[in-house]
Amino acid sequence: MPLVLYTDGSKSDSGRTGSGVYAKAEDGLVFRCRFRNPDNCSVFRSELLAIREALNFALHFENSDIFVLTNSKSSIHYLKNWPEIREKTGQEVVSKIATLSQKSRVCFQWIPSHVGVFGNEEADVLAKEGRALPSASSSELFTSEIYSIHKAIANSAWKNPPTHDWYAGNRPGLSLQSAGTRSAQTALARLRSGHIKSLKFIDREKTFSSCPCSCPASPAHIIDCIGASTRQLWSGEGKGLVELLERHGVMDLV
C-alpha cells in the first residue's frame, strides 16, 4: 500500500503563517502535524515546509510508494526544476526526495483545494491551527520575503508622513476639500506640504527666495509675516488665509 501525504500552508491577514501535514499509513497509523512558521513567511514557503515535514515522516517507512498531494502548483513546478534550487529549504526537500528514491517511488500530485478531499481538508485545518500556535519553530526567511517586508515598511513610512505642522491633515485630499478657487486650493496645499514655489535646493539644502520684508520666504515666515497662524491652514479659515496672501502680494511666492 502506498503512503499518501497531504500538505498545506496557510497565512492570515496579520502575517502569521503555518503548515499542516495529514497522512494515514497502511497499518492504520494516522499522522497529523501542524507548526507555525516565521511571521510574513510566504504561503509558497509554508507549502515547502509542509512538504519537508511530510518527507521526514516518510523516511520512517520501508519500501512504500510515497505520494505527496498538495494544492500548490508552484511548489511542484519549483521542485521539478531542482538543479536550479539554491535556497536552503528547497535543497533540504530535494535531498530527502533523493534519499527516499533509493528505496521507494516518490510522486508529487496536484489536487484542487476545498473540493471535499478529506486529507486535503484535514491538512488545511492543521495549517490554520499551526499559524495560531504561540511561536514559530524557526525564524528563517527567504531573501525575497525579507525584501517584501522591507518594501512594505518603506511604503508604510511613505504613506504616513512625518508628524510636523506641515503634515497635520487628518484626512487625505484636505486641500481639494477646501472652499475656493483652484489657485487658492493649490496655495493651501503648498503651504501645508512646505513645498512652495520659492523653495529651492542648493547643495541639497533648502533655501527660499526673499519675502518683501527681505527675510527668507519659508512657509512659516510667510504665514507669520501676513499676521496669520498655522491653525488657519487646517481649519475652515483657509479662504481667509488666501485673502491675506493676496492682500500682502505674496501669492507669487506660494
Side-chain angles (χ1 to χ4, degrees), residues 5 54-61 64 66 68 93-106:
L5 301 144
L55 296 177
N56 279 337
F57 176 69
L59 288 170
H60 298 289
F61 292 82
S64 295
I66 299 164
V68 179
V93 172
V94 171
S95 176
K96 294 181 190 303
I97 293 173
T99 300
L100 289 165
S101 297
Q102 296 176 7
K103 59 180 181 179
S104 308
R105 185 173 58 144
V106 182

Side-chain angles (χ1 to χ4, degrees), residues 13-226:
D13 293 337
S14 63
R16 293 171 68 115
T17 62
S19 298
V21 181
Y22 173 83
K24 187 172 183 179
E26 58 183 313
D27 58 2
L29 174 65
V30 173
F31 174 69
R32 287 185 174 89
C33 177
R34 62 183 183 181
F35 51 92
R36 183 176 164 189
N37 300 320
D39 289 345
N40 298 301
C41 175
S42 64
V43 175
F44 166 71
R45 183 157 180 261
S46 293
E47 295 276 1
L48 282 181
L49 292 169
I51 291 172
R52 184 182 69 180
E53 192 61 33
L55 296 177
N56 279 337
F57 176 69
L59 288 170
H60 298 289
F61 292 82
E62 296 288 339
N63 303 319
S64 295
D65 288 341
I66 299 164
F67 288 85
V68 179
L69 277 61
T70 174
N71 56 29
S72 172
K73 286 185 178 180
S74 57
S75 297
I76 294 176
H77 289 311
Y78 180 70
L79 295 172
K80 183 178 179 180
N81 296 320
W82 60 269
E84 305 300 322
I85 294 176
R86 297 291 182 267
E87 52 79 29
K88 180 181 176 181
T89 305
Q91 289 180 343
E92 289 177 346
V93 172
V94 171
S95 176
K96 294 181 190 303
I97 293 173
T99 300
L100 289 165
S101 297
Q102 296 176 7
K103 59 180 181 179
S104 308
R105 185 173 58 144
V106 182
C107 301
F108 282 80
Q109 180 177 333
W110 174 80
I111 55 173
S113 58
H114 307 301
V115 294
V117 178
F118 178 77
N120 179 251
E121 297 296 334
E122 287 292 301
D124 178 66
V125 171
L126 289 166
K128 289 176 180 176
E129 291 176 352
R131 75 189 189 194
L133 294 175
S135 61
S137 57
S138 168
S139 59
E140 295 179 7
L141 289 171
F142 278 1
T143 303
S144 59
E145 292 166 344
I146 296 173
Y147 171 77
S148 297
I149 295 171
H150 283 282
K151 185 177 180 182
I153 293 173
N155 288 340
S156 175
W158 174 255
K159 292 176 183 176
N160 295 290
T163 54
H164 55 72
D165 291 344
W166 306 114
Y167 289 91
N170 59 4
R171 61 189 184 276
L174 181 60
S175 299
L176 298 179
Q177 297 170 22
S178 302
T181 63
R182 177 68 178 270
S183 61
Q185 293 176 352
T186 301
L188 290 173
R190 286 174 174 165
L191 282 171
R192 285 166 180 153
S193 69
H195 289 76
I196 59 178
K197 285 192 290 186
S198 69
L199 171 64
K200 300 289 187 295
F201 283 89
I202 300 177
D203 294 330
R204 299 183 180 181
E205 294 291 331
K206 286 184 179 181
T207 60
F208 295 92
S209 302
S210 295
C211 179
C213 69
S214 300
C215 294
S218 67
H221 171 76
I222 290 174
I223 291 174
D224 183 62
C225 190
I226 63 176

